[in-house]
Amino acid sequence: MMSANEIYSRIIQLARTHPDDALLVDIGCCSELCYSTQLDKCLQVSVGTDVRKLVYDGFPGAVIGCDLHPEFLALGYKLYNDNTNSRIHFFSADVFSVPSIVPDDIPYNADISSVTALTQLMGRVNFIYTGAFFHLWDESTQYAIALRLAGLLKRTPTSIIFGRHQGLVQEG
């Protein structure tokens, strides 16, 4: 679904201008979960498919997939059989672990493969993808998430948050 977004090719193009500095994070990389209470089972889980396709399509920078549920990340490794050779760094974290106000002394971790917390990415991310993510919460929680994602962004004119979401005319 990420690749269907209008800005997808622009993201890859922007990353190619500075590949050593490009970083994309997919927040909720396994969030395409459709749970059926009637069937009492999951009908679909993304398992990091979007970021795997991004790498396949030639994104030259670093790519991180983050999801709240580590078991879904493990399912992705099992499905794609890439636990030992994926250039995508996957880890489990909660977006609410990121402070809503960016501190002055942001810790810097140069090695993306050792990142274990979203706070280690504050002020470093060029591109954030949130597919099927924001619509899971009410408006005030969406605002709280947006503040946290903004704290992850690098302060450049080409930093972008994009995704796909479902909305209704009537909230709820």
Side-chain angles (χ1 to χ4, degrees):
M1 298 307 283
M2 180 195 298
S3 63
N5 195 294
E6 289 180 26
I7 202 153
Y8 184 79
S9 60
R10 177 81 174 129
I11 297 291
I12 295 173
Q13 178 187 13
L14 286 168
R16 286 184 177 145
T17 61
H18 300 288
D20 294 335
D21 193 39
L23 173 58
L24 181 137
V25 177
D26 182 349
I27 301 289
C29 67
C30 299
S31 68
E32 305 224 8
L33 172 65
C34 299
Y35 186 78
S36 169
T37 53
Q38 290 178 332
L39 299 174
D40 194 32
K41 68 177 183 176
C42 294
L43 302 178
Q44 176 185 6
V45 177
S46 169
V47 297
T49 303
D50 282 327
V51 286
R52 285 177 168 97
K53 176 157 178 27
L54 177 74
V55 169
Y56 178 81
D57 287 346
F59 185 84
V63 178
I64 292 178
C66 180
D67 198 87
L68 182 61
H69 301 284
E71 62 273 21
F72 294 155
L73 299 174
L75 282 173
Y77 284 131
K78 184 175 181 180
L79 176 66
Y80 289 99
N81 194 25
D82 64 355
N83 192 19
T84 58
N85 62 351
S86 176
R87 66 167 263 236
I88 303 163
H89 176 59
F90 290 99
F91 69 96
S92 179
D94 186 342
V95 72
F96 293 103
S97 67
V98 177
S100 58
I101 298 174
V102 181
D104 292 332
D105 57 339
I106 298 171
Y108 183 76
N109 183 343
D111 183 10
I112 295 300
S113 66
S114 67
V115 170
T116 58
L118 287 169
T119 53
Q120 295 172 287
L121 298 173
M122 293 184 72
R124 296 186 60 195
V125 181
N126 306 87
F127 314 109
I128 298 174
Y129 178 71
T130 60
F133 184 74
F134 270 91
H135 71 268
L136 300 173
W137 289 279
D138 63 21
E139 187 176 351
S140 63
T141 307
Q142 290 172 6
Y143 180 75
I145 292 168
L147 290 176
R148 285 160 172 83
L149 295 182
L152 297 178
L153 280 181
K154 189 179 283 190
R155 301 299 187 248
T156 65
T158 56
S159 293
I160 298 169
I161 298 175
F162 69 112
R164 66 178 188 82
H165 312 283
Q166 180 178 342
L168 301 171
V169 174
Q170 178 85 22
E171 70 178 58

